[in-house]
Amino acid sequence: MPTALGAMRSLMMTPSLAEVGFARRGFPVRETEATRRLEAIPQSVICGFEWGIDARTLWELERRLALVEPEMRGFAYEGATMAYTIRDAMAGGRGTRARELMQGPAQPHVFLTYIGIGFAMARLPRPLWRGVLPDLTGVPYHPTMSWLAVDGLGFDRAYFDTEKWVNRQARPKPYPWDGNAGYFPRAWDQGVGRALWFIHGGQVDPVTDAVAAFAEDRHADLWSGVGLAATFAGGSAAEDLARLRELAGTHRADLGQGSVFAAKARTYAGHVPEHTEAAVNALAGLDAAAAAQLADEVAEGGLDASDGPHYESWRRRVRESLRVPAARARH
């Protein structure tokens, strides 16, 4: 049974399962088996959040999350991390619960847990953002991949305030995440690009038109987000994904980079769905294992900060490799 405090926190901080549905959000999506599967993703996040808000111990939370099917479990961990981040903030702490979760059972889903931190940021005042990222020294890909928290924030705002952030293409106010305020809008736009995939139910032409409606300087990061979502979440047939790659035009490498990162995240979590294999093949010309290997190999020897944070250096190296067939063939 939920505790009284847990019920109060849940009601204050998160929408209901019905409210994250495509119809309730007013998204132009025709219901199909594929879109129902996509719709189950934000619902899995909500379930994880509610469990994380109410769970008395990490042991209890981990057991609940283990009940979620492997393909959706990472999304439930997103929601749980969102809940623990909010609980830490409300208690005046600095990532105690979130750190324990991310260093423990959530570690296979570390890429998605950063997104969960971003979901929490969307519900917390900016002054509290300083303390939301726990010290994860020793956890792989930290702090490089912490930019996915900003991605999560952009996704959340585009999904829940679509009129402002998608229809009117508003730009976010920069914030010095990881000491780099200038890069904040770019990571945000990757999240907006992911949201476009859900808003349009994985339909290639509407997604492409939605990206095109934004200013040209935002297209690269939006396409990266589209590639991430199409590969990690699925929702589109192989022939449609091939068309998506063609429609990306000069941003094919950005689309492919997002796809490679998604395949890396799925591989790291230990479960690669068939739709991920199909998408990374269509968008990056690689199978998931090769894509994960490429992501690791381009980062060997360390990442530089010549063009921004290490996260951008990693993205750039993947893009460059995808643009050069000979280089890709070596991986």
Side-chain angles (χ1 to χ4, degrees), residues 198-267:
F198 285 81
I199 289 168
H200 295 285
Q203 298 301 298
V204 167
D205 289 314
V207 169
T208 301
D209 291 343
V211 171
F214 285 78
E216 173 63 34
D217 65 304
R218 306 178 70 176
H219 288 185
D221 297 308
L222 292 168
W223 276 115
S224 176
V226 170
L228 262 167
T231 305
F232 201 97
S236 195
E239 59 270 22
D240 294 323
L241 292 167
R243 175 170 167 74
L244 180 68
R245 184 178 183 277
E246 290 301 314
L247 291 172
T250 59
H251 293 293
R252 289 175 188 170
D254 300 292
L255 180 72
Q257 175 269 311
S259 183
V260 166
F261 270 25
K264 172 61 186 176
R266 280 292 192 187
T267 303

Side-chain angles (χ1 to χ4, degrees), residues 91-266:
R94 292 189 61 83
T96 304
R97 291 181 180 84
R99 180 174 65 249
E100 185 181 18
L101 176 65
M102 294 174 74
Q103 288 180 330
Q107 192 167 150
H109 309 286
V110 64
F111 297 92
L112 275 70
T113 57
Y114 284 121
I115 293 173
I117 291 175
F119 292 166
M121 291 165 67
R123 287 152 183 83
L124 295 170
R126 279 199 171 209
L128 294 182
W129 290 4
R130 288 184 59 187
V132 297
L133 184 64
D135 179 3
L136 296 172
T137 302
V139 173
Y141 310 107
H142 183 80
T144 301
M145 296 305 290
S146 75
W147 281 100
L148 285 172
V150 182
D151 170 309
L153 177 60
F155 177 98
D156 185 285
R157 293 299 76 217
Y159 195 96
F160 289 107
D161 192 357
T162 308
E163 174 60 31
K164 178 177 181 179
W165 299 108
V166 176
N167 298 346
R168 302 204 309 268
Q169 298 99 43
R171 294 179 185 260
K173 179 182 177 182
Y175 179 86
W177 188 263
D178 197 27
N180 195 318
Y183 194 73
F184 184 87
R186 294 197 57 191
W188 171 292
D189 275 352
Q190 181 177 271
V192 174
R194 285 198 304 115
L196 294 178
W197 186 255
F198 285 81
I199 289 168
H200 295 285
Q203 298 301 298
V204 167
D205 289 314
V207 169
T208 301
D209 291 343
V211 171
F214 285 78
E216 173 63 34
D217 65 304
R218 306 178 70 176
H219 288 185
D221 297 308
L222 292 168
W223 276 115
S224 176
V226 170
L228 262 167
T231 305
F232 201 97
S236 195
E239 59 270 22
D240 294 323
L241 292 167
R243 175 170 167 74
L244 180 68
R245 184 178 183 277
E246 290 301 314
L247 291 172
T250 59
H251 293 293
R252 289 175 188 170
D254 300 292
L255 180 72
Q257 175 269 311
S259 183
V260 166
F261 270 25
K264 172 61 186 176
R266 280 292 192 187

Side-chain angles (χ1 to χ4, degrees), residues 53-67:
I53 283 290
D54 194 59
R56 292 172 175 81
T57 66
L58 180 59
W59 180 92
E60 178 184 340
L61 176 61
E62 182 181 2
R63 295 317 182 272
R64 291 186 182 187
L65 292 168
L67 299 174

